[in-house]
Amino acid sequence: MEKITFQDIYKPGHTVLENELFIHNHNPDMLLQYDSNFISFKRMPSVQEFEEAHQYLRDFHQKYGQKHVRFYFPDDEELSEELLAYFQKDEDYTIGFLELFAILPGDFPEVHVKEEIIVENVTDETWNDYLEFQYEHDSVYGETFAEKKKAQHLRNYRDKSIQQFIAFYKGKAAGSVDVIIKERTAEIDGLMVHEEFQKKGIGSRLQKSVMDQFKDRTIILVADGDDTPKEMYRRQNYLYLGKQYNLLKVYE
């Protein structure tokens, strides 16, 4: 398996500034999406450098009515004691971390095929089912966000480098996943199973469909460090590749 890092992970948007310290990513189509409007540090900053980067991003976001700042720190580096002490002074900062996993399709466990579960590539015929399923999930974050995401889902549908999958359980839309296709990787993104259909094997069937369709690529995904699904990935033979700290602050 070739070396894969967090830099291989897909982030919608574009670079508006890069210097020796950080890369600033901005997504004008999804201003409310924290994870595509952020600064990614190329090396661990000092407290003063962080303060300056924070002020720069806050000023930039205010121009667009954005009420958050998001930062990512270098792969597999612990936050310095000085930074931790600084962040802990402000209870509005949320510190989290992501974990990167990868698997070769042939290493994914066999999945028991159940007739009541059908997984398909999203097509014109199933597009409305997919969109309604996504909208129900996205609306948890507000109607404005959900409406913006509808446009993003449509852009993804038209993008040949992104393949959307939908799972049906006894004819009802029950799960979905998007796959970002690159030359050597296929990235699982937004794997979801409806709460009503949990623990029926739908998530595994979605992943198996990805493995079957992209046998010539390394399958990668990112899991939130505090989420339980990452334990499932370990049981499914995914390899742990690394960790990345992040920081979020939301302004009222």
Side-chain angles (χ1 to χ4, degrees):
M1 187 181 296
E2 297 182 50
K3 182 176 176 59
I4 295 169
T5 71
F6 280 94
Q7 281 62 54
D8 294 298
I9 297 301
Y10 172 71
K11 295 289 186 185
H14 61 273
T15 298
V16 294
L17 175 67
E18 180 172 3
N19 56 32
E20 58 87 23
L21 180 61
F22 64 73
I23 299 171
H24 173 199
N25 191 85
H26 179 64
N27 185 1
D29 296 320
M30 283 298 299
L31 296 173
L32 300 178
Q33 192 170 46
Y34 302 154
D35 293 338
S36 59
N37 295 275
F38 59 87
I39 274 178
S40 178
F41 287 106
K42 297 159 77 171
R43 61 171 174 79
M44 196 62 71
S46 66
V47 170
Q48 181 179 343
E49 288 173 328
F50 174 80
E51 288 180 324
E52 292 171 355
H54 180 284
Q55 191 61 54
Y56 159 77
L57 187 59
R58 175 68 174 141
D59 291 344
F60 185 95
H61 280 185
Q62 283 185 303
K63 295 176 185 177
Y64 294 92
Q66 294 170 279
K67 297 181 179 181
H68 81 280
V69 286
R70 164 73 92 183
F71 301 92
Y72 291 96
F73 296 92
D75 296 13
D76 293 319
E77 288 193 33
E78 296 295 319
L79 297 173
S80 68
E81 292 182 5
E82 292 78 13
L83 282 173
L84 281 173
Y86 179 81
F87 299 151
Q88 289 165 358
K89 290 178 182 177
D90 188 338
E91 61 184 21
D92 291 330
Y93 279 129
T94 300
I95 302 173
F97 68 94
L98 302 173
E99 293 186 335
L100 179 61
F101 294 90
I103 189 171
L104 296 176
D107 293 333
F108 193 79
E110 286 298 317
V111 175
H112 177 61
V113 177
K114 300 178 182 178
E115 291 184 1
E116 59 265 36
I117 301 173
I118 297 174
V119 177
E120 301 177 353
N121 288 9
V122 174
T123 64
D124 290 347
E125 287 70 30
T126 55
W127 167 248
N128 285 334
D129 295 305
Y130 173 87
L131 196 60
E132 289 174 8
F133 180 81
Q134 295 295 335
Y135 194 89
E136 181 179 351
H137 175 268
D138 296 332
S139 60
V140 173
Y141 304 99
E143 296 299 319
T144 301
F145 180 81
E147 288 296 330
K148 289 287 187 182
K149 281 298 290 287
K150 282 174 67 175
Q152 180 172 297
H153 294 314
L154 181 58
R155 287 191 297 272
N156 290 348
Y157 180 59
R158 293 170 174 168
D159 189 338
K160 293 182 179 179
S161 69
I162 298 177
Q163 179 61 61
Q164 297 159 323
F165 291 79
I166 185 167
F168 294 94
Y169 182 79
K170 296 183 178 179
K172 294 182 179 180
S176 70
V177 69
D178 291 357
V179 179
I180 295 91
I181 309 159
K182 295 185 179 179
E183 184 177 355
R184 62 193 182 109
T185 62
E187 179 187 344
I188 288 176
D189 183 51
L191 176 64
M192 291 189 296
V193 176
H194 194 285
E195 186 176 353
E196 181 182 348
F197 304 108
Q198 296 282 342
K199 298 183 179 179
K200 297 183 182 298
I202 294 169
S204 295
R205 279 289 299 277
L206 281 164
Q207 292 177 77
K208 187 63 167 64
S209 295
V210 175
M211 305 295 160
D212 291 344
Q213 195 156 325
F214 300 102
K215 294 179 179 179
D216 60 338
R217 291 173 171 83
T218 300
I219 311 301
I220 62 175
L221 60 83
V222 168
D224 190 290
D226 294 323
D227 283 353
T228 53
K230 68 177 185 178
E231 300 306 324
M232 175 186 71
Y233 299 137
R234 292 179 187 274
R235 292 194 301 270
Q236 292 172 326
N237 298 329
Y238 284 85
L239 297 176
Y240 170 81
L241 298 184
K243 175 179 177 181
Q244 183 186 57
Y245 281 98
N246 58 67
L247 185 75
L248 174 68
K249 183 174 183 177
V250 180
Y251 295 84
E252 297 299 330

